Every structure is written in structure tokens, then in C-alpha cells.
Amino acid sequence: MNKFICNTCGVQTESAGAAPEHCSICIEERQYVSTKGQSWTTLEEMVQSAAYQNEITSEEQGLSSITTVPSFAIGQTAYLVQGENFNILWDCLTYLDAPTIEKIKALGGIDAIALSHPHYYSTQVEWAETFDAAIYIHEDDKQWVTRPSERIIFWSGETLEVAAGFTLHRIGGHFKGAAILEWKDGNAGKGVLLTGDIVRVVADREWVSFMYSYPNFIPLPGSTVERMAAQLNEIRFDRVYDAFHRTVVKDAGEAVQRSAKRYVDALNGVLFKT
């Protein structure tokens, strides 16, 4: 029996005697199947290959990024956020080995894992079992869980305070249950949002964007982006970290609002002069 991992998205399945025919995450229109076809690995194979390692980097006081090198699957960055007597892992990575475990334990371990959306579920149950942590997923995305676990807490509503200083907000968009993490004490108390790619920092780090599908270039409706912007406008934050190691360093609240307006203007043809 193996817990197979999709090579394209990095999400792990529950134990099975043979690999599934398809990855339920990748055959959906927000993701894709590799041009090389569906293929699978396991965490054991990845560790035994010694081809990967996780780099853990301090980004600011109380915040460390975790990135797998070389990049695997989608290539997202996870973040370990250290609060007062409570550490939360924001989003997750597929690769987990002994050096990673040792380094994270030295930083105080993990008390909870919170997920922005299904593309980053990866080996979340492996991480939760290793660090004795709960997993927080919005109930609207329950159908996408490929490895069930009693450690998963399906939360409901628009907000959830996981611990003092850490609040999850369901803002939808990319997925119905898509969530972001508000870290109130981050950035010297000015507030930080960790957004996965629910709010994506673009190449020009003064702006962000929003999409239904990034690899397939499917935009969100203007009305959805306006609703998301209105929700975000109710949260106090000055900095944004996204899933691909991009950061709006300051005045991020203003950047999100003007970016949402530009997005909607583009959909409505207002930006175009020819």
C-alpha cells in the first residue's frame, strides 16, 4: 500500500495498492495534466532519491519561508509563522525529510497548519502527524481533500481565529473556500497577509492580481474581484506574502485596492486606448 503523490501538483492520496488513473486535482480546469501524462511518486521515493532539500529562510521577525530545491510540482513557498506560544504553518509543501523536521522543531515546531486552497494540500497529513498539528481547511473545499484525516478541521463562515493574532478569512475567488491568513502582529505590528495565490503578487511588486485559473489564464469576474477587495478592505495590513516568494513590502492594503480596480477596469475595457 502506498500514498501516491501526483508529480504535477504534488498532492498526496490516501493509501492504495496501485496508483490512481487520474489526479482529481489536475484534471479540473484550474490545474492541468502534464504533457508527459499522469505520473506518480511517493514521499519515500523522494527522500530516498536525495534529490531534494528544503530551504528555510528568515523573512522577518517571526516569519520563515520554506521552499523545496530544486522546485517540485507547483513550486509554492510555505511559511512558518511564530506567535506567542503558537506556531502556524501557512500552506504546505510535498517534501518532508529529517533535516526539515529538525530545523522546524528548533523553531518551536508546528501547532496548526492552515491552507489557502486545494493546490497546496500536498502532504499536509504527513506534516500534521509529524508535528502533532491540526489542519484547517474551509468546508467549501472539503470535496478536494484526497487524503482524509481526523486531524482536518473543516471550518465554516467567513472568519476563524485559529489562535491569538492569527485569523483566517474566506474570500473565495480562486476556489469557493479560498482563504488568506491575517497575522496581526507581523511587520512590527502593522499587519501581514499571507495569501497563497488567492491574491498573487505580480512581477511589479507594487501590484497584485487575482485569477480563477493561473496556468489556463481564466480570469475571475469583475464582481467577484470587487467583493474580494471589499472584504480585504476590512482587514488592517501593510505587507503581503504570496505563494511564490513575492512580497508587497509596504502599503499593501492600498496596493490591493488599486490592483482590484485596475483588474476590473481591464475586464471592462477601460484601460485600453486602441
Side-chain angles (χ1 to χ4, degrees):
M1 301 290 281
N2 289 296
K3 302 178 186 71
F4 291 97
I5 294 169
C6 173
N7 277 311
T8 301
C9 71
V11 176
Q12 187 183 55
T13 66
E14 57 187 328
S15 295
E21 183 177 355
H22 300 294
C23 170
S24 59
I25 300 291
C26 288
I27 61 174
E28 199 262 347
E29 63 190 358
R30 280 165 286 199
Q31 184 51 16
Y32 61 95
V33 177
S34 170
T35 55
K36 298 178 181 178
Q38 179 68 61
S39 64
W40 301 90
T41 186
T42 66
L43 184 56
E44 291 75 17
E45 288 176 354
M46 292 179 70
V47 172
Q48 289 171 8
S49 75
Y52 299 96
Q53 63 178 345
N54 285 333
E55 293 185 348
I56 301 178
T57 305
S58 176
E59 301 294 335
E60 63 174 83
Q61 183 66 38
L63 181 70
S64 297
S65 61
I66 311 172
T67 308
T68 301
V69 179
S71 180
F72 176 75
I74 294 175
Q76 74 269 19
T77 296
Y79 291 91
L80 180 67
V81 195
Q82 296 168 277
E84 188 172 347
N85 303 314
F86 192 91
N87 287 2
I88 187 166
L89 181 69
W90 173 246
D91 279 329
C92 202
L93 302 175
T94 303
Y95 192 66
L96 179 63
D97 62 1
T100 302
I101 295 167
E102 182 180 351
K103 291 174 184 177
I104 290 177
K105 285 184 174 179
L107 292 170
I110 298 169
D111 298 292
I113 302 170
L115 283 302
S116 63
H117 73 292
H119 291 158
Y120 304 150
Y121 288 176
S122 55
T123 58
Q124 57 184 1
V125 177
E126 300 281 352
W127 286 73
E129 291 178 348
T130 298
F131 294 101
D132 191 22
I135 300 170
Y136 290 87
I137 293 172
H138 196 278
E139 65 177 4
D140 285 345
D141 288 341
K142 186 175 183 178
Q143 72 184 92
W144 301 105
V145 173
T146 56
R147 183 182 170 187
S149 170
E150 293 182 353
R151 292 183 176 273
I152 300 176
I153 297 170
F154 292 105
W155 62 282
S156 60
E158 302 306 305
T159 63
L160 176 70
E161 186 179 56
V162 178
F166 296 120
T167 301
L168 294 171
H169 298 266
R170 187 197 75 89
I171 63 169
H174 189 32
F175 273 79
K176 186 176 181 181
I180 59 173
L181 175 64
E182 177 190 4
W183 176 30
K184 291 181 173 65
D185 297 330
N187 189 20
K190 295 178 183 178
V192 164
L193 284 190
L194 296 112
T195 61
D197 57 9
I198 309 309
V199 178
R200 177 80 186 272
V201 181
V202 299
D204 179 348
R205 307 303 172 90
E206 302 297 318
W207 299 82
V208 302
S209 196
F210 319 82
M211 290 287 274
Y212 179 74
S213 171
Y214 288 93
N216 299 318
F217 304 112
I218 306 173
L220 286 167
S223 58
T224 299
V225 173
E226 288 175 333
R227 176 191 54 73
M228 293 170 70
Q231 288 181 256
L232 290 160
N233 201 36
E234 297 299 314
I235 306 170
R236 183 186 63 84
F237 62 97
D238 191 60
R239 183 170 293 169
V240 165
Y241 291 89
D242 80 355
F244 295 95
H245 221 169
R246 287 180 174 176
T247 309
V248 180
V249 176
K250 63 179 182 178
D251 300 325
E254 178 185 337
V256 167
Q257 294 304 313
R258 69 169 180 267
S259 297
K261 182 180 184 304
R262 182 174 74 170
Y263 189 102
V264 174
D265 284 347
L267 290 177
N268 292 334
V270 175
L271 288 183
F272 304 105
K273 300 178 174 61
T274 60

